[in-house]
Amino acid sequence: MPYKRLCSTKNILTVNRQFPGPTLYVHKGDTIIVDVYNKAKYNITIHWHGVKQPRYPWSDGPEYITQCPIQPGAKFSQKVIFSTEEGTLWWHAHSDWSRVTVHGAIVIYPKKGLSYPFPKPYAEVPIILGEWWKKPIMEVYHEMLKTGGDPNVSDAYTINGQPGDLYPCSKQDTFKLRVEQGKRYLLRIINAAMQDLLFFSIANHSLTVVATDASYTKPLTRDIITISPGQTIDVLLKANQNPDHYYMAARVYSSALDVAYDNTTTTAVVEYSGKYAPTSPTPLPQLPYYNDTSASVNFTGSLRSLESDEHPIDVPKNITNHFIFTISVNSFPCPNNSCAGPNGTRLAASVNNISFTNPSIDILQAYYYGINGVFGTQLPSFPPYIFNFTADDLPLDLETPKRGTEVKVLKYNSTVELVFQGTNLEAGTDHPMHLHGYSFYVVGWGLGNFDIKKDPLNYNLVDPPLQNTIAVPKNGWAAIRFRADNP
C-alpha cells in the first residue's frame, strides 16, 4: 500500500515529568513515514520497539548499531514497516537514557475487515507505566557515568505521565479512566520504565490477558500482572463491580539484594459513571511485596500463544545454532578505588564476559560497506568460563569482564536456540532482554543453572508465547527460539 506520512515527532529532553508522546495508529501491514526533528541539545534516535522492519533495518533506531544518531538541529525521515505485528507496541528514543521522556504507544489494528480474536471492547485505552525524576534525566545519566555507581532511583512511577494520589502535589492531575458498568475495556499496557519490572493491578477487578508484544495469547485471567520494561500486555477489563472509584496501581519488583529501588506506588482511578457517593478511602489493590520472585515468574511462565487457525505459530524444531549467553552485572577497577560501585569499582554489564563498547560508526553500515576495524566477530557461543553461575559466593576475579564490540554473524534462514543464563556476579538480578527485528518463542525458563541435558526435555514447543522482550529471572535462565530471516 502507499506509504502514509503519519506525523512529525519533535523531542524535548529538558522536561522533568514524563508526558507520553503521540500514539501512532496503524493497521497490520501498513508502512508509514515519520519525520523526526531533533530540537534538543543531545543526539537522538527513535526506535519502533517490536516492529520487525523486515529487510529494512536502516531506521530501526538503536544508535551506533543500525544507524548513526540524529544530531541536534537535524531531521531524519524514518520508514516504519509493519508486517506480522498485531496489537500494542511502542516507540521510544534509543540514545542514552532519553527514552524516559521521549516515547509513546503504537496501536496496530487487524487488517481492515478483520476483527480481534476476543470479544470486541467498548473502548480501548493505552496505559503507559513510566518513571519521573526531579532532575532532568540527562543529569541523572551523566552523574551515573561520572561516578560509576548505580543511577539515582526515580522519585516516582507514573501512569500516563501522572504519579497519582499517593504522591504530594499530584492528586489534581491523576489519570482517570471513566467506565460504564457492564462494559468491557481493552487496556493496552506498556512498561516504559528504564529497567524496572512492575506489578500492576486494579482493585476488586480481574484482568484477562489477550496479547503480549503484539502477539495474541490464550486468555489468561489474573488479579495481578507483571510487566517487564519494554514489554506490552493487552488486557480486557470488565466493569462488573458496584459503581464506585477504584485505584489501578503499579509498583516495582526489585530482586537485587542491597540495591536501592523506588519503593513508591503510582495510582490512577477507575471511575464508574452515574450518581453515587464514592467510597472513602478509594479501594487500593494488594500488590505483591517488592521482591516476590514467585509472583513475577509465575505470571510470566503462564503466558501461552493463542495458536489458532487464524493466528498460527511456527516454533523452530530443527535447530542449527545453539547458543548459551551468560548475562551479568560486572565491575571495572578504578584508580584508588575512586568510583561509586562496589568496593570503589565502576559498574558494568556483560554477555559471555564481554562488556559492549560503542563503535565510532554504526555496525550495520560497517558491515554493509565492508569497513574493517569497527567490530569483531568473536562473540562466544557459550560461556568462556564455566562455574556455578548462581552460587552465593563467587571469586572476585570473575567480576571484571573484557571490553569489546563483538558480533555474532548468522546464516540467513538458520534456526536459533538462545539460552540466557543469569549470574550472581556483583548482584543477582532479573535481566530484561529485547531482540530487535524479531519476535521469539519463549520455550523454557527456570531458576538456578540451566541443565543442557534435562531442561530441554521440559520445553514448551506447542504453544510458547511469542514475545520481543523477556525478563530472565534472578539467578535463573530463559530459552528462546527464532528463525534468522530478517537481516
Side-chain angles (χ1 to χ4, degrees):
M1 64 172 294
Y3 299 157
K4 294 189 293 186
R5 188 172 295 274
L6 198 65
C7 68
S8 296
T9 302
K10 299 183 180 181
N11 69 43
I12 302 174
L13 297 183
T14 54
V15 298
N16 281 347
R17 183 166 290 179
Q18 170 195 306
F19 292 101
T23 297
L24 305 185
Y25 296 93
V26 299
H27 286 84
K28 183 177 181 180
D30 280 355
T31 294
I32 65 173
I33 303 293
V34 180
D35 296 329
V36 183
Y37 298 83
N38 187 0
K39 300 293 185 179
K41 59 182 178 180
Y42 305 104
N43 288 341
I44 200 73
T45 59
I46 301 294
H47 170 51
W48 319 98
H49 191 107
V51 182
K52 300 180 182 67
Q53 294 282 67
R55 294 173 177 77
Y56 195 82
W58 310 106
S59 56
D60 183 54
E63 64 176 2
Y64 298 114
I65 305 299
T66 63
Q67 67 184 83
C68 290
I70 307 166
Q71 297 181 2
K75 168 194 171 184
F76 184 55
S77 293
Q78 296 189 237
K79 183 165 73 170
V80 188
I81 304 172
F82 295 90
S83 53
T84 61
E85 306 89 2
E86 188 174 327
T88 306
L89 295 173
W90 67 302
W91 60 268
H92 60 80
H94 208 298
S95 302
D96 302 327
W97 271 29
S98 52
R99 74 177 170 93
V100 169
T101 56
V102 184
H103 62 255
I106 303 175
V107 174
I108 311 165
Y109 296 116
K111 288 185 176 182
K112 292 181 179 179
L114 299 180
S115 60
Y116 299 135
F118 48 80
K120 183 179 179 180
Y122 177 72
E124 304 179 13
V125 184
I127 301 292
I128 301 181
L129 310 177
E131 291 174 281
W132 173 55
W133 280 259
K134 293 179 180 179
K135 291 183 178 180
I137 192 57
M138 298 310 285
E139 287 187 22
V140 177
Y141 175 74
H142 288 132
E143 183 178 357
M144 173 186 68
L145 294 183
K146 181 179 179 180
T147 65
D150 275 322
N152 289 339
V153 298
S154 55
D155 295 290
Y157 293 107
T158 58
I159 296 177
N160 285 353
Q162 301 298 333
D165 292 356
L166 304 186
Y167 299 88
C169 305
S170 63
K171 186 170 184 176
Q172 69 276 10
D173 296 318
T174 295
F175 174 73
K176 296 175 176 62
L177 172 61
R178 195 164 182 83
V179 300
E180 294 186 24
Q181 190 178 35
K183 302 290 188 182
R184 184 181 287 108
Y185 296 81
L186 177 62
L187 307 185
R188 299 178 178 271
I189 306 171
I190 299 165
N191 184 354
M194 281 304 302
Q195 54 195 29
D196 289 341
L197 280 77
L198 296 171
F199 294 119
F200 176 87
S201 183
I202 299 177
N204 297 5
H205 292 75
S206 295
L207 303 170
T208 299
V209 178
V210 292
T212 179
D213 291 344
S215 179
Y216 294 121
T217 64
K218 290 181 171 65
L220 175 68
T221 301
R222 290 288 188 271
D223 293 334
I224 299 165
I225 70 169
T226 309
I227 184 167
S228 303
Q231 188 178 21
T232 65
I233 296 180
D234 293 355
V235 302
L236 292 175
L237 166 68
K238 185 71 178 292
N240 56 6
Q241 297 299 303
N242 293 328
D244 207 338
H245 290 184
Y246 301 89
Y247 276 133
M248 68 170 68
R251 76 177 181 198
V252 71
Y253 160 64
S254 179
S255 61
L257 295 176
D258 301 321
V259 174
Y261 64 94
D262 182 344
N263 66 353
T264 61
T265 300
T266 180
T267 57
V269 180
V270 176
E271 292 185 352
Y272 278 70
S273 60
K275 294 183 179 180
Y276 55 88
T279 299
S280 182
T282 303
L284 186 69
Q286 294 295 315
L287 293 168
Y289 197 53
Y290 78 94
N291 63 354
D292 191 337
T293 296
S294 294
S296 174
V297 298
N298 288 341
F299 170 81
T300 302
S302 298
L303 296 171
R304 299 288 185 271
S305 284
L306 180 59
E307 197 234 346
S308 66
D309 291 340
E310 295 78 14
H311 301 280
I313 62 174
D314 184 19
V315 185
K317 301 296 198 307
N318 299 314
I319 302 300
T320 56
N321 294 278
H322 289 269
F323 303 134
I324 298 178
F325 287 178
T326 52
I327 44 180
S328 306
V329 177
N330 303 93
S331 61
F332 288 111
C334 288
N336 303 317
N337 297 327
S338 57
C339 292
N343 302 313
T345 61
R346 174 176 295 277
L347 286 171
S350 70
V351 172
N352 274 352
N353 205 48
I354 296 178
S355 186
F356 183 76
T357 301
N358 262 345
S360 56
I361 64 171
D362 63 284
I363 288 175
L364 189 65
Q365 183 180 187
Y367 177 81
Y368 188 82
Y369 290 109
I371 301 173
N372 295 323
V374 177
F375 64 88
T377 58
Q378 302 304 311
L379 182 65
S381 299
F382 299 94
Y385 305 116
I386 303 299
F387 55 96
N388 183 356
F389 301 118
T390 59
D392 290 334
D393 296 305
L394 293 171
L396 293 178
D397 58 355
L398 293 172
E399 293 180 357
T400 303
K402 297 179 181 179
R403 297 182 188 267
T405 308
E406 299 295 336
V407 169
K408 176 65 66 180
V409 179
L410 301 174
K411 288 184 178 181
Y412 178 77
N413 224 27
S414 58
T415 52
V416 179
E417 178 180 307
L418 170 56
V419 176
F420 293 113
Q421 173 66 62
T423 78
N424 204 29
L425 293 173
E426 293 294 358
T429 187
D430 50 87
H431 292 274
M433 305 300 294
H434 170 56
L435 184 61
H436 287 229
Y438 291 88
S439 291
F440 48 76
Y441 294 99
V442 183
V443 297
W445 66 274
L447 301 177
N449 297 319
F450 176 72
D451 189 319
I452 198 169
K453 293 182 178 179
K454 295 180 180 179
D455 287 324
L457 300 177
N458 296 317
Y459 281 173
N460 176 11
L461 302 180
V462 178
D463 58 355
L466 183 63
Q467 300 174 228
N468 64 59
T469 303
I470 179 64
V472 180
K474 175 185 178 180
N475 289 339
W477 58 272
I480 67 172
R481 288 187 176 186
F482 62 95
R483 181 178 297 276
D485 57 2
N486 184 14

